[in-house]
Amino acid sequence: MKKKMVLCTQLPAKRMEELEKECDITIAGELKHGKGNVTEEMVCEECKGYELVVLGDENAGADTLNKWIESGMKFIGVAKGTPVTVDNEVLKAAGIPLSYTPGRNRVAVAEFNIGLMIAVARKLTLSATGLQKGEHLGEPMADIYNVPDVKNVIWGPLDENHPYTDYGIGFELYGKKLGIAGYGAIGREVAVRAKAFGMEILAYDPFVAKEKIEADGAIAVDLDTMLKESDMISIHLPVIEATKNSVNKDWFSKMKPTAILINTARAAVIDQKDFVEALQSGQIAGAAIDVYWKEPVPANHPLLSMRNVVCTPHMAGLTTDVDNWSGEMMAQEVLAYLNGDERKYIWKR
Ligand SMILES: NC(=O)c1ccc[n+]([C@@H]2O[C@H](COP(=O)([O-])OP(=O)(O)OC[C@H]3O[C@@H](n4cnc5c(N)ncnc54)[C@H](O)[C@@H]3O)[C@@H](O)[C@H]2O)c1
């Protein structure tokens, strides 16, 4: 007999075909009603009485979970990188493991992170937005398509009117040292991509085996070495007691004055005041930031008007591909449960 499964998040079409052979699947939650259109009460009712419950962003607190458990739930999955939307204490007490999708947007964040590194190193956003704002433009032309047939259009001479005197001259990533703080899912993806750019990788993560880091061609170092030697430092730490505000004036005092800090992790790992002061005083040379202490970032935040800082509005983890990664990982968890195999992605916290 087929098992009963309720699905609130998209799974890849090919996996759906496989699952439909073994399960009767009911669509519910945001997958049925659209993003942001469901309450916990609705989801609680819709998902009651199923052996397998697969959620996306839906909330499930203790009462909801207890109802599902009483009505026969044996598998629960949440297609999120941090499934805090579900009360895991209740699940632990009932002996039901919680499947989730860790690192589902690691490629998205890593590619964006490399983009930020290049943007800050090469004054890319400064010059691109400068042009859009009307800086360094030529006179308007009646017919922009009617230009003289010159073989080699060059902007010159490279004098005080040239954009580089305004935006500054960038540097190449090639041959520079990149410090990675936190060599987890995202830190590693950044490292292997930066290596392809010819960077030397100094990884600081006391919880990852040296051999694992070295297998990627990176060098495992202690914190002080990473801070002192890196030309760029990219932060990929989780927010836990030990990391909160850990990137502070002590860090900045050990970094090179020419060094650049990249943060696509979470703002809470950086001491905000120390960071702003280090950038204002020139203690460090620049930064690229995707995450803030309050989001959306307040309009008067000093980082927004610093020419040595690239700011993006918490965009690193969002791509049109992430749902596929997430759905594939979740489908594998469901299939492992159905086949009685060991599941790979179990939330432990
Ligand atoms: N900007 C975005 O859109 C976006 C998207 C996804 C994730 N993130 C953030 O990126 C960060 C990294 O995510 P991840 O998936 O790579 O996490 P992860 O758990 O896979 O990796 C974190 C790594 O940090 C290491 N670590 C923990 N404490 C440490 C310490 N005190 N010193 C040094 N290393 C330490 C761990 O050993 C682990 O290897 C998280 O803060 C996450 O919230 C941001």
Side-chain angles (χ1 to χ4, degrees), residues 105 109 182 184-186 204-207 236-238 264-266 290 314 317:
N105 50 16
V109 178
I186 297 170
Y204 166 63
D205 190 329
F207 308 103
H236 305 288
L237 298 168
T264 56
R266 285 289 180 269
D290 186 49
H314 205 149

